Amino acid sequence: MDNFLTSTLKQHAPLISSGTIGAINWHWLDHGVMVIEPIGVEVSHLDHVLLSAGIHGNETAPIELLDQLMDDLLNGRLPLNVKLMLMLGNLEAMRNGERYNDIDLNRLFSQHHQNYPICAETLRAQQLEALTAQFFESAAGRKLHFDLHTAIRESHHVRFALLPYKENEKYSRQMCDWLSSAEVEAIVLNQAPSATFSYYSSEHCGADSCTLELGKAKPFGQNDLSQFAGINNGLRQLVSQGLPQSPPTNVTLKVYQVSQQLTKLSENFEMHFSDEVKNFTAFEQGEVLAIDGDITYRVEQPREWVLFPNPNVRPGLRAGLMLVETEQDAIF
Ligand SMILES: [Zn+2]
C-alpha cells in the first residue's frame, strides 16, 4: 500500500479496501479516511480515537504528523492499543495549498452544509459526519476526537485547544491532562453551539473533542516538525498507551472563557489595535477595542485577552473574541 498522504494527494484508491499488516487490521473507507485496529482484542472496548487534520487544506504540519504516525503504526514501529480513525479533511484544498475552495469546511458541520449551495465541501462535510457517526457508534470504551489545525496569527500561547460548547459545561479531566502532557498551554471554552467538526463529534457522537491550534505551518515538506514535538509525542503515547492515568506534574493549563464577542455590524467597523496584535494579548478594563458607528466596544472585565481578531469579515460576522481567565477545576 502506498503511503497514506501520498496516495490521498494523488487520489489513488488502494486495489483492496481492507487487509492485515503485522498485528493491525486496516480499512480504507474513502480518500483520506482510514481505520486501523489491533488484531486479537475485543475492539469495541478499546478507546476509539479520531484524529483529523487538513479540515483547512493549507494547515500542513498536522497532516504530515498524522501521516508519519500512520506509517509508524503500519510498519510496526509503534504499538497500537486503540481503535484509530485518521481523517484528512479538505482534499481539494490540500492539493491546491488553500484553506478552502468555496466554503470553509469547518463552518459546515451539524447540518450547516444545508445552508449553502451543494459543492465539494458541503458533500465532504456530510460524508465526514456519516463516517464519524459510524466510527463512534460501535464504541463501548472512551470516545476521543482531536481536530488538528495551525493558526494564521502569531499567538502568546503557541498551542491551545478550543473546547466545544457543552450544555452541562463539564469536560473530561483526563483529556485536559493529556492536553497538558502534550504541551498544550491553554484551553478556550466555546460559549455556544457551532458548525465545527469538534462540536459535531462532541454533541452528536458523545466524544470528548477539541480543536487544537498548534502553531504556524508552511507548505508540504517545509515544516520544521520539531516545533510540534510535544503534540507528536502526545499523539504517539495516546495511540499506543491510551490517556495518562495520573495528571502531569508541573504544568499549568490556562483556562479561558469568552467574555464578549466583537461583532462587525457595518462597514464602519474599526479595530482600535494594530493588525499585528497576537492572539492572547491582554487589554485592561476600559480600553477601547473597536468602534462601529455609534457602538464602542470596551474591555469590561478587569482584564481581557483577545482571540482571532479579524476586522475584514463581512458585516454581521464575528470580528474577534474577548476572553477572561477562569479556574480549571470549575470545568470538570
Ligand atoms: Zn484551521
Side-chain angles (χ1 to χ4, degrees):
M1 201 173 33
D2 213 347
N3 150 298
F4 182 50
L5 175 58
T6 311
S7 58
T8 300
L9 290 176
K10 286 184 186 159
Q11 280 181 292
H12 286 173
L15 296 172
I16 47 168
S17 62
S18 61
T20 301
I21 298 179
I24 286 177
N25 282 329
W26 61 268
H27 310 273
W28 184 91
L29 300 184
D30 208 308
H31 291 283
V33 185
M34 274 189 74
V35 171
I36 58 174
E37 58 196 23
I39 293 172
V41 291
E42 181 49 67
V43 172
S44 65
H45 292 287
L46 292 177
D47 287 356
H48 283 47
V49 179
L50 165 57
L51 301 177
S52 53
I55 293 293
H56 294 136
N58 58 353
E59 298 176 358
T60 52
I63 300 172
E64 291 176 326
L65 284 188
L66 293 193
D67 184 45
Q68 281 187 6
L69 182 73
M70 181 62 107
D71 220 48
D72 287 348
L73 287 165
L74 290 178
N75 287 295
R77 290 189 289 267
L78 187 66
L80 178 67
N81 284 306
V82 300
K83 181 166 176 171
L84 177 66
M85 177 149 77
L86 288 194
M87 217 174 231
L88 302 180
N90 196 334
L91 307 182
E92 250 333 277
M94 278 167 52
R95 290 183 198 109
N96 300 336
E98 304 279 356
R99 184 174 172 84
Y100 56 86
N101 293 326
D102 293 316
I103 310 163
D104 185 338
L105 186 55
N106 217 19
R107 303 284 176 272
L108 294 177
F109 289 91
S110 304
Q111 303 300 316
H112 284 259
H113 51 77
Q114 291 174 347
N115 304 338
Y116 297 88
I118 292 172
C119 66
E121 279 138 349
T122 60
L123 296 172
R124 186 65 170 169
Q126 270 177 282
Q127 184 190 33
L128 297 185
E129 280 186 4
L131 291 168
T132 300
Q134 195 182 14
F135 176 68
F136 284 125
E137 205 174 54
S138 62
R142 196 195 322 270
K143 300 181 239 183
L144 292 163
H145 174 206
F146 298 109
D147 186 30
L148 279 55
H149 290 249
T150 51
I152 306 164
R153 181 174 289 268
E154 298 280 347
S155 180
H156 286 291
H157 294 305
V158 179
R159 288 167 297 277
F160 58 97
L162 301 160
L163 270 55
Y165 167 75
K166 275 192 177 183
E167 214 166 304
N168 68 6
E169 296 181 325
K170 296 292 175 213
Y171 295 89
S172 156
R173 185 186 286 269
Q174 267 188 304
M175 179 181 78
C176 291
D177 287 343
W178 177 80
L179 291 171
S180 276
S181 70
E183 296 179 11
V184 170
E185 297 163 17
I187 61 180
V188 177
L189 309 176
N190 273 315
Q191 301 300 93
S194 72
T196 62
F197 194 13
S198 62
Y199 178 75
Y200 171 79
S201 60
S202 165
E203 177 66 17
H204 297 275
C205 309
D208 290 319
S209 310
C210 66
T211 304
L212 283 172
E213 297 284 354
L214 300 168
K216 294 188 95 171
K218 297 182 176 155
F220 282 122
Q222 295 174 32
N223 287 299
D224 173 9
L225 292 183
S226 67
Q227 285 178 11
F228 299 87
I231 192 71
N232 193 23
N233 292 336
L235 291 173
R236 283 162 184 270
Q237 201 164 29
L238 178 68
V239 298
S240 53
Q241 296 164 33
L243 287 176
Q245 292 307 310
S246 51
T249 48
N250 297 330
V251 275
T252 43
L253 187 68
K254 294 209 181 269
V255 182
Y256 296 91
Q257 60 187 30
V258 176
S259 54
Q260 55 173 321
Q261 172 167 316
L262 308 178
T263 305
K264 178 169 175 173
L265 300 169
S266 73
E267 290 297 353
N268 297 324
F269 183 94
E270 251 182 75
M271 285 293 193
H272 265 233
F273 48 83
S274 138
D275 247 9
E276 307 293 304
V277 122
K278 293 182 180 180
N279 281 327
F280 299 98
T281 296
F283 292 87
E284 303 301 321
Q285 194 164 41
E287 275 189 78
V288 174
L289 298 164
I291 292 184
D292 196 347
D294 293 342
I295 294 180
T296 302
Y297 292 99
R298 289 177 192 275
V299 178
E300 290 164 356
Q301 305 300 316
R303 176 174 279 189
E304 296 181 15
W305 288 262
V306 72
L307 185 63
F308 303 140
N310 180 8
N312 303 319
V313 296
R314 275 184 289 125
L317 295 183
R318 182 186 87 189
L321 288 174
M322 299 306 295
L323 309 175
V324 286
E325 217 182 314
T326 183
E327 288 297 315
Q328 191 185 136
D329 281 347
I331 68 167
F332 301 126

